[in-house]
Amino acid sequence: MAVTASTWLISVIEALLYLALAPLLVGWVRKVRARLQNRRGAPLLQPYRDLRKLLVKEARVAHTASPLYRLAPYVVLTATWLAAASIPMVALDLPIATVADIIVLVGLLALARVFLALAAMDVGTAFGGMGASREMLISALAEPALLMAVFTLAMTAHSTNLTILIGHHLSDDFLLRPSYLFALIGLILVAIAETGRIPIDNPATHLELTMVHEAMVLEYSGRHLAMLEAAAQIKLMLYGVLIANIFLPWGIAQSITPAALAVGLMAILLKLALLGVALAVAETVVAKLRLFRAPAFLNLAVLLSLLGLLSHVILEVGA
Amino acid sequence: MSMSTLTLLQQLVVLLAALVLFLSFVLLAQGRLISAIHTFAWQGALIAAVTLVVAAGGQIHHLYFSAVLTLVLKALLIPWMLHRLAVRLALERHSETLRHPALVSMAAVALVIFSYWLVLPMVAEEQTFTRNIVAISLSVVLIGFLMMVVRQQAVAQVLGFMSIENGLFLAAVSATAGMPLVVELGVAFDVLVAMVVFGVFFFQIRASIDSLDVDRLNRLTEVPEVSEVGP
Amino acid sequence: MAMALTLSGLAVAFALGSAILSLGAVKDGRVIRILATPLLGVAGVSALAAGVVALLTGEVATATVPLGLPWLPWQIRLDALSGFFMMIIGILISVVGIHAPSYLRGIEQGRGEALAALGGFTGLFLTGMLLVVLAADAFLFMIAWELMSLASYFLVAFQHEHAANRRAAFLYLLMAHVGGLAILLGFGVLAAFGEGFSFAAMRAAELSALWASLAFGLAFIGFGMKAGLVPLHAWLPEAHPAAPSHVSALMSGAMLKVAVYGFVRLTFDLIGDVQWSWGVLVIAIGAASSLMGALLALMQTDLKRLLAYSSVENLGIIFIGLGLSLLFLGRGHTLLGVLALIAALYHSLNHALFKGLLFLGAGAILHGTHERDLEQMGGLLRRMPWTGLFFLIGGLSLAGLPPFNGFVSEWLIFQSALQSWVIDNGVLRALIPIAMAVLALTTALVAATVVKTYGVAFLGQARSRHVRRARPAPRGMRLAQGLLAVLCILLGLLPTWVIGLIESVPKQILGTGLGDAATPHGLWLAPIAPETAIYSAPLALLSLLILGGLVSLVLRRGAVRRVRHCDAWDCGFAPPTPRMQYTATAFAQPLRRVFAMLMQIETTQATREDGTPRYQLKIGDRLWGTLYLPVSAMVESAARRIVRLQSGHVRGYLGWTLVTLILLLWVVSVVD
């Protein structure tokens, strides 16, 4: 791994790309979903305007809030952002991959989640506690599925380093691995649950008693809310890039040349657009689940990841 | 053995076998009867696809016929009969919830590992491909059995029975490139007859105990039970 | 090297001196606070120094003390393994030495005798622990072990005014003795083959596979019971919270580690030739312990009980690591075995630090509010900011979040488990990842527990009057917590250095350290090979800080950086009261419902005489009903049968004596 100033520069640019593109992805999903539902929908750039609006407004903090309440948005945003930046997006072989492997990535997301849940409980209203409690339920059930899917991939590539993992998949000839298929579906289910999409949570409503993420951020306003919104958007994009680049790595730049980088950028944009369409279709077709049906959904994710693991062990390795 | 040493068709067989196993799990956990019947139909279709791939891979012509037979019988005819039966028994909206769904699926996972452990020493090292598929087939069989144990509904039990047959067929097709055509026809005919007999039985059971819950069959015991409760 | 041994001898002497001083100071409780407790701190520092020296030099020092039986003088040995655990015990004792005076000041009026007992038995308890780690023969080991158990029994029974504490202490004593018996028998097997009670003789013994398995099984039962592994954990959540908080910290932080030490010493060092099937057993028991511990911790509303259950969970994680190590060693993958052992030891150290910190935090809360019940707390962060900060650090370490220390050891365990592809047995390859999935579930449940505990205790609004008026913790308590918090952060940030220190343990008892591929990479931690797994805690923290700084720089400029304070959102109804907050029980409700199968949950909805409805929830351990109650019923019915022997007739007793005598004579003649 040639660690040079230029590769670090690309790492930094990739990190900034996450910040810049994440609202666009959210806008895209909303637009497609609106069209599928015969609505015109908000403009593609609406999430940027929302963020800007939040940034120019003053932040209000409840009397009962402690310092943790104001610290939490920074921790949530930076931890999510760092987790995202450690995933190869446009190019492989970047030095940031040596800072955090995929298990650290899971840990960083957990750090962000814990701080968000703590902040939700800080003001001392019923909504915050409710959201925090539910968020921890969902994450507790999603974690084993996520980890088993990751294990399946890492045992195939013999590495938890994302660069090596993706590189291994690229260097393979085209192989029909059942374990990858199961892990892919399991990971998608986990991503849906963790990013708070339908059928687990509904990002578009404040009225449902079943809300999870929105209940946690209910007290926030101004720039604090902007940071939390940005973190949620980055998280969606993070899972999108993770799924796209692990399972469909083709197109990612394997060398640091302008042409390869341009191809890599186009490829990831295309993949994200397609995934966004898939997400919008799924959210249009599927109805929101009751909270206590969510364990069944996540059990399915666990089962799929487990089958991925078993089919890796039984069918693909032998011995 | 690693994936890359297999031919593309073999990889396809592996993929399809894994999907068959997955559908066994779905079948096990699926509470709604109609959906379970659909799942069973898909499993039959996958078995037919495996047969087709094996036929194409080994240029075995009678397997083409077998594939068509499987498709017609397991993916279309029997599901259709079951569906019609469910409608006539007014069970379209029937759904039963397993008491401990997570426990049951963990048991099924344990069965998969157990069958792999069982098959490991049976087949020589160079035939790992065959052995692995046999392990999958055995788990499909055992999960079918488990389904018959944990389900109370008679129609669901029949689905379990049929998926046992699917597992056996998967083993036969992929491990030994199919049975002789005569045997296959015989088996197919048996399954069909079994299906018809089951259908007749369902009506008989329901007529005598007014339910298809197999747990109620204990009333048919000849020893009078003291602790009989409820209607 | 003689220096390390001298230092450890000094530590033992100081601990013993502190005990004697306390027991002698019945008249004046202040002696204990001013002299005996600081002496404990000194003992801790010398133990810490001894441990670090032993680890750094990596040499073995032995000595013989002319005490004990005439033909069996006590043998003492300080090697890297002893040194490592000496270090853990030393850290905790020193910190407790700082914390305890503040605690004693609060209760010393008119309770001279009780305080003398507390100080005396704490000293004896520590002496016992230090001697266990130093012992090099089974005789001294067992004496020290029993000293530790008995002294801690008195500490558990310290607040004996409450019937529950007396019951907990009795249960503890009972289980400790059953465990001690198993350990004794395990040593017996080894001594029979080694023809001697010294560890050196046992190490040289050649055991057949069956006898080795028996010795292992006995050791696992005995030490597992002390470590609180499921299903032998029932005493732990009863006993640990009953003692004063700094003693709870010692019991959870240090005594459980002594059990880990005993297990490692007996299995890895004395038996030596490990079998992989032991590893499977240990992993399974460890996974079950971690899951049950985490679940039951999540359900608790008593802060100290919660922490005690979380000790069960962490010991489960440590034993998962040890089991992986046994498995890899048994199948001939020595390097991976070394890695898993290092991970387990690292987690032992981490658990000692953050659990000590959390128990001391609970002690500070108890000191400031006289409250252990989470449902009465709330908003403590504003009343006790330092305790709040340190408790948060401890909680984040407990939850295994980067960049704190708990994450590093869990990362190492995951990494060693990921290497299970080298094992040439498909079934094992499938089972290890499943155990890791259980571990992942555990980690997530612990995160939920931490959010619950911290959110209910320190955040929100106070739920009772005395908590609203909480006193901040005294300086000694804050200093003690602060030291542990700093260590938690340092151990999270400098894993390469810590691993370098721990590595001398496997170098001594297994003969190898980590491989060449894992040579220190400075800021990077790469335990197997850089391309397999790499993590850089300092750089991760640095990146977090840079990104955070960037964000705050951008966002906190201009006219809108002002923050206006207002009331919380009340949906247009009455302003929210503390009673509207989610309680600890409510927080755990969704997970309780999902995992109801694993627990015994009783709810009663009764209406009291005055018409107010009451909802009662009791969450118990399923194992009580399925394992403990039948055993105790069996023992009781057996006892009732034996009672019939007590007829009251003297001639009857003489008759039994005669029968016994004849039986014994017959046995003697047959054996000869």
Side-chain angles (χ1 to χ4, degrees), chain C residues 540-605:
Chain C
L541 184 70
L542 189 69
S543 322
L544 278 178
L545 290 178
I546 290 176
L547 292 181
L550 209 69
V551 170
S552 76
L553 206 69
V554 171
L555 293 190
R556 290 167 67 89
R557 281 190 325 181
V560 290
R561 69 164 196 228
R562 208 157 54 85
V563 163
R564 190 195 295 181
H565 289 272
C566 61
D567 287 328
W569 168 241
D570 55 12
C571 303
F573 293 102
T577 68
R579 278 176 59 83
M580 290 181 190
Q581 298 175 89
Y582 249 48
T583 60
T585 312
F587 187 91
Q589 190 264 350
L591 280 162
R592 185 170 74 232
R593 192 170 149 170
V594 172
F595 291 100
M597 196 174 71
L598 296 175
M599 290 169 285
Q600 192 152 29
I601 300 173
E602 284 172 40
T603 54
T604 44
Q605 279 163 295

Side-chain angles (χ1 to χ4, degrees), chain A residues 56 59 61 63 133 159-160 318, chain C residues 382 429 531-532 560 564 566 587:
Chain A
V56 298
V61 174
H63 291 304
S133 161
S159 172
T160 53
Chain C
R382 256 164 294 149
R429 271 204 314 268
E531 62 274 11
T532 309
V560 290
R564 190 195 295 181
C566 61
F587 187 91

Side-chain angles (χ1 to χ4, degrees), chain A residues 111-157:
Chain A
L111 180 71
R113 185 188 312 123
V114 164
F115 265 89
L116 185 59
L118 282 176
M121 297 190 72
D122 191 27
V123 175
T125 60
F127 277 110
M130 184 181 81
S133 161
R134 292 175 174 178
E135 174 80 4
M136 295 325 279
L137 166 79
I138 290 166
S139 70
L141 297 174
E143 199 97 323
L146 176 61
L147 202 93
M148 257 189 300
V150 165
F151 253 66
T152 309
L153 302 172
M155 280 174 83
T156 311

Side-chain angles (χ1 to χ4, degrees), chain C residues 491-548:
Chain C
L491 260 69
L493 288 182
L494 303 169
T496 35
W497 186 79
V498 182
I499 287 176
L501 201 61
I502 302 179
E503 209 183 341
S504 57
V505 175
K507 269 185 188 152
Q508 245 170 42
I509 61 173
L510 299 175
T512 38
L514 290 169
D516 293 335
T519 44
H521 293 78
L523 295 176
W524 282 273
L525 174 63
I528 303 147
E531 62 274 11
T532 309
I534 194 160
Y535 164 52
S536 169
L539 285 185
L541 184 70
L542 189 69
S543 322
L544 278 178
L545 290 178
I546 290 176
L547 292 181

Side-chain angles (χ1 to χ4, degrees), chain A residues 273-310:
Chain A
L274 288 177
L275 279 177
V277 172
L279 180 63
V281 170
E283 290 202 316
T284 309
V285 175
V286 178
K288 163 106 177 56
L289 285 174
R290 224 154 35 90
L291 180 71
F292 283 108
R293 302 287 296 173
F297 179 85
L298 290 163
N299 268 347
L300 182 64
V302 173
L303 182 66
L304 279 162
S305 311
L306 195 56
L307 279 179
L309 182 76
L310 288 179

